Amino acid sequence: MALAEFSPCSYSRSQTLTSNLSSARSIAIDVHLFHRPRFSLRLRRQLNISCSVAPSQIQLPPPTVRPADAANKRECYGVFCTTYDLREDDKTKSWKSLISIAVSGAAGMISNHLLFKLASGEVFGPDQPISLRLLGSERSYQALEGVAMELEDSLYPLLREVSIGVNPYDIFEDAEWALLNGAKPRGPGMERAGLLDINGQIFAEQGKALNAVASRTVKVIVVGNPCNTNALICLKNAPNIPAKNFHALTRLDENRAKCQLALKAGVFYDKVSNVTIWGNHSTTQVPDFLNAKINGIPVKEVITDTKWLEQEFTERVQKRGGVLIQKWGRSSAASTAVSIVDGIRSLVTPTPEGDWFSSGVYTNENPYGIAEDIVFSMPCRSKGDGDYELVKNVEIDDFLRERLKKTEAELLAEKRCVAHLTGEGNAFCDLPEDTMLPGEL
């Protein structure tokens, strides 16, 4: 089987809506509200394209280092070009230092909801100024400008800088958070293996860019599907960033599971806790009712319909996205954005005592017997410092273990399918069945 690898053409077309933060307490900005925005267009050399003629020749390209002459020239735009000193502004004296957040797929529907939540202070707090770095494509560049204009018109005081561009090496520079929403949707007739390869190449390139230019402590949340394996590809291409810093988004699945348990029990969903989504973000995912609680009581003591829990509950969570598409004609965007916010807040806010949250994380040294070296959704706790620890006191019975093995097997098969993108040699696809979630079709 001949396999081809390529890295997308890397070129820089970026415009920065910036406040030129000179220190944690001072910002320099200039206002030119009516000036026509200017663009800096620089062509970067095309990355090598290598096509293997035999599986034995497949190799991971060497780590990409940003060229020394690739200095990023940014220009301000509109209201983001105002000049003043934060030290003279009583309102901002207690603010924290600016943090940089990179968002890929920034012109897409999910980002259209997410960016305004970030800019409003809902995510990082009312005293946390932010810089938004928005990554798109040549096709979406005008849409990125439109997004920037809407952010400008929203007058968010915490939004101090906005950059837009198509080159991840520019957009990811010094990023402290990277929210990777952008991925190719699955087209008609496309096999899952094909989607893994196409999107895997995107996330391999973005992993290299993060490795080259992002903060060494950057936290990465992969949303683009198949998100578990995309996160694995990304972290494998970013060896200078701790693998623990990469997450695959399974929080929407957790939120859906909480909603279904609340509906069945006749309570509001804030009474539901300790819900875990195990495994892959696919129809093999395992919504865990064994360890979940309602009003602090084990779910199985509140909902005694075992058949419903073992069959209908799981199916409802897995197929919720497909039902939404049938009703509305589009996949979930707003609720996905909310779940990204929930996922970030779970990392920057101490987890309530006795509770936990779900996230797809690297499995090395996990306490559950899950195979190592994959990204698998598991129960996590955080002290609010951006880091997390796996929850140890979790019950796993025979029913749950059987399902964990199935989703584990799927992720191991996906890993083999993208070996050419993770530096592990020959790629071999033996996916057991097509388990893509309805929203990915």
Side-chain angles (χ1 to χ4, degrees):
M1 174 174 63
L3 294 174
E5 307 179 52
F6 65 88
S7 296
C9 179
S10 182
Y11 48 95
S12 176
R13 179 189 182 198
S14 62
Q15 176 185 1
T16 299
L17 292 61
T18 179
S19 58
N20 298 328
L21 188 71
S22 58
S23 70
R25 306 289 293 175
S26 177
I27 292 181
I29 327 180
D30 278 56
V31 168
H32 301 293
L33 292 177
F34 303 101
H35 282 198
R36 182 184 182 91
R38 292 166 294 156
F39 298 87
S40 176
L41 178 61
R42 305 188 309 282
L43 293 179
R44 190 187 305 281
R45 66 174 180 82
Q46 188 172 9
L47 296 178
N48 291 337
I49 298 177
S50 58
C51 297
S52 58
V53 295
S56 61
Q57 294 177 301
I58 298 172
Q59 293 182 347
L60 183 70
T64 306
V65 178
R66 183 190 177 105
D69 61 351
N72 187 25
K73 298 178 181 179
R74 293 177 174 149
E75 298 181 11
C76 61
Y77 178 94
V79 74
F80 293 101
C81 296
T82 312
T83 302
Y84 60 92
D85 191 338
L86 285 180
R87 291 172 298 183
E88 298 178 0
D89 189 341
D90 289 337
K91 180 180 178 180
T92 62
K93 285 181 179 178
S94 62
W95 280 8
K96 300 175 183 177
S97 299
L98 185 91
I99 60 172
S100 296
I101 306 163
V103 181
S104 75
M109 290 298 296
I110 294 172
S111 296
N112 192 45
H113 295 278
L114 175 63
L115 295 174
F116 297 88
K117 290 179 174 293
L118 292 168
S120 71
E122 178 181 341
V123 184
F124 292 98
D127 59 350
Q128 179 60 73
I130 68 169
S131 164
L132 286 178
R133 314 286 183 83
L134 310 183
L135 179 65
S137 64
E138 280 291 314
R139 281 178 50 189
S140 68
Y141 196 79
Q142 283 194 328
L144 285 179
E145 292 182 287
V147 170
M149 291 172 66
E150 284 212 88
L151 287 167
E152 178 185 41
D153 293 344
S154 298
L155 304 182
Y156 289 117
L158 291 167
L159 183 57
R160 295 289 155 168
E161 180 177 296
V162 175
S163 304
I164 61 176
V166 299
N167 185 347
Y169 288 87
D170 288 340
I171 297 301
F172 292 167
E173 187 169 15
D174 298 324
E176 294 161 89
W177 287 85
L179 312 178
L180 306 185
N181 301 332
K184 181 180 177 62
R186 189 181 186 188
M190 184 183 292
E191 297 292 335
R192 185 168 194 182
L195 187 65
L196 280 165
D197 182 60
I198 291 171
N199 280 337
Q201 292 173 26
I202 294 172
F203 285 88
E205 183 65 19
Q206 292 185 355
K208 293 170 191 172
L210 289 166
N211 193 60
V213 301
S215 165
R216 300 301 84 180
T217 60
V218 63
K219 304 298 186 293
V220 183
I221 298 180
V222 175
V223 181
N225 287 312
C227 62
N228 291 63
T229 298
N230 285 342
L232 180 68
I233 293 168
C234 198
L235 72 87
K236 289 289 187 177
N237 283 274
N240 295 332
I241 298 170
K244 194 177 183 182
N245 289 17
F246 290 80
H247 298 257
L249 184 74
T250 57
R251 188 55 172 269
L252 179 56
D253 303 310
E254 177 188 322
N255 289 352
R256 287 169 170 170
K258 286 182 174 179
C259 180
Q260 293 305 311
L261 291 173
L263 284 168
K264 184 67 173 179
V267 300
F268 201 60
Y269 41 73
D270 63 350
K271 304 300 181 184
V272 183
S273 64
N274 303 88
V275 172
T276 305
I277 298 296
W278 295 91
N280 200 5
H281 179 65
S282 75
T283 56
T284 67
Q285 66 175 256
V286 185
D288 181 0
F289 57 83
L290 179 63
N291 293 283
K293 296 179 181 180
I294 296 175
N295 283 318
I297 303 170
V299 161
K300 292 184 72 175
E301 296 180 20
V302 178
I303 301 174
T304 58
D305 187 345
T306 303
K307 183 178 180 181
W308 183 89
L309 288 170
E310 292 183 352
Q311 298 179 17
E312 189 172 347
F313 166 62
T314 298
E315 187 173 321
R316 284 191 178 189
V317 176
Q318 292 171 342
K319 296 184 177 180
R320 180 74 166 184
V323 173
L324 188 146
I325 291 172
Q326 291 174 358
K327 298 287 187 182
W328 203 24
R330 64 181 69 174
S331 60
S332 52
S335 56
T336 300
V338 169
S339 70
I340 297 170
V341 169
D342 290 342
I344 297 172
R345 287 181 58 81
S346 289
L347 292 170
V348 300
T349 307
T351 307
E353 185 67 29
D355 201 1
W356 58 70
F357 59 91
S358 304
S359 189
V361 295
Y362 198 49
T363 53
N364 281 15
E365 301 182 1
N366 76 86
Y368 316 116
I370 304 298
E372 297 202 339
D373 202 34
I374 55 177
V375 172
F376 195 96
S377 185
M378 298 180 283
C380 306
R381 289 182 51 81
S382 177
K383 296 178 181 178
D385 56 358
D387 200 357
Y388 68 91
E389 61 183 11
L390 295 176
V391 179
K392 295 180 180 179
N393 55 334
V394 177
E395 182 182 356
I396 299 179
D397 62 8
D398 291 342
F399 177 83
L400 181 55
R401 177 66 66 186
E402 181 183 354
R403 295 195 170 195
L404 294 185
K405 286 297 180 183
K406 182 177 180 180
T407 194
E408 175 192 79
E410 181 179 58
L411 283 168
L412 288 170
E414 288 187 9
K415 178 186 173 184
R416 291 190 291 272
C417 204
V418 298
H420 59 300
L421 299 173
T422 60
E424 298 181 14
N426 298 351
F428 175 70
C429 286
D430 59 342
L431 297 174
E433 57 182 310
D434 195 335
T435 58
M436 300 296 272
L437 291 173
E440 296 173 338
L441 297 179

